Amino acid sequence: MVLLVFTLRFDMRAPGWAGPTADLYAAAIDMCAWAENRGAVLAVLSEHHGTDDGHLPAPLTLASAIAARTRTLAILLAAVPIPLWDPVRLAEEMSVLDLISGGRVSYAFGVGHRREEYDHFGVDMGVRGRLADEMLAVLGRLVRGETVEYRGRTIRVTPACGSPGGPMMLVAGGSKAAARRAGRPGLLSSLDIPTTLPLYAFD
């Protein structure tokens, strides 16, 4: 049996001599709408910051535009460097995107590997693992609209997401640390990706 998956991946990187950036983003959205009607099942968006080639820094924004132009296409954000986010703000963005997309957006969370990005946000890269664990412990509950105690504050994100149980979230990376990070809050590991994404099977 052969498994074939028609996917698209966008990082929006482009050399300086490429076309206008606005045209590149419009083309990516058009491509998703076109591909959905021709069997595409998934669009993958990545996230990096402060790069010379203009790598996509705001995947949730692009995902929102893609979701508005499509009806069935699944969207995976991989990987989102969660220590660079505020978990409350991220939960708000995820909840609204879940409502806009009808639950079609999933997330793979990582800790990032570029020191430049941590400098970009003024975050200490040396504590990225601890930050990720702390955030992942509350993120799922926040997206579901539960009341959460976080750093001495009582927080409830509104509106809650529309998906029962929240959007699919997993932890990227094949290391033991990543597996432990996924297991503590009951998330999937990236090793589970082949069995959780929609596949077309042909005998």
Side-chain angles (χ1 to χ4, degrees):
M1 182 172 68
V2 178
L3 296 177
L4 300 177
V5 184
F6 180 11
T7 67
L8 306 98
R9 184 177 184 98
F10 298 99
D11 58 24
M12 307 312 295
R13 292 184 295 173
W17 48 261
T21 303
D23 291 350
L24 297 177
Y25 274 79
I29 298 166
D30 287 344
M31 287 172 66
C32 288
W34 178 89
E36 179 183 57
N37 293 323
R38 289 155 180 84
V41 297
L42 177 70
V44 182
L45 309 180
S46 54
E47 176 181 344
H48 281 295
H49 301 271
T51 64
D52 292 335
D53 57 9
H55 197 295
L56 173 63
L60 281 85
T61 302
L62 182 55
S64 182
I66 292 170
R69 286 282 303 279
T70 57
R71 298 184 64 184
T72 61
L73 187 70
I75 304 168
L76 172 65
L77 277 56
V80 176
I82 193 169
L84 303 180
W85 281 84
D86 174 83
V88 180
R89 184 61 176 169
L90 178 56
E92 291 177 336
E93 298 279 352
M94 290 173 61
S95 295
V96 171
L97 184 49
D98 187 77
L99 293 166
I100 290 171
S101 68
R104 289 183 284 134
V105 182
S106 303
Y107 301 83
F109 296 114
V111 294
H113 62 277
R114 298 180 65 244
R115 183 167 298 278
E116 299 91 333
E117 293 184 305
Y118 279 83
D119 293 343
H120 185 77
F121 285 98
V123 178
D124 181 2
M125 189 174 182
V127 297
R128 59 184 178 160
R130 179 177 63 77
L131 287 175
D133 291 342
E134 182 183 44
M135 295 176 187
L136 290 171
V138 298
L139 187 60
R141 296 176 60 203
L142 285 171
V143 223
R144 293 190 294 270
E146 300 176 18
T147 300
V148 171
E149 295 294 326
Y150 178 72
R151 295 186 175 180
R153 311 192 314 270
T154 301
I155 302 161
R156 185 170 66 92
V157 166
T158 59
C161 69
S163 297
M168 187 184 83
M169 297 185 286
L170 54 91
V171 173
S175 67
K176 291 181 180 179
R180 286 193 297 270
R181 183 161 294 120
R184 278 190 285 268
L187 301 180
L188 295 169
S189 162
S190 60
L191 299 176
D192 298 312
I193 287 180
T195 59
T196 55
L197 294 182
L199 300 178
Y200 288 140
F202 299 92
D203 289 320

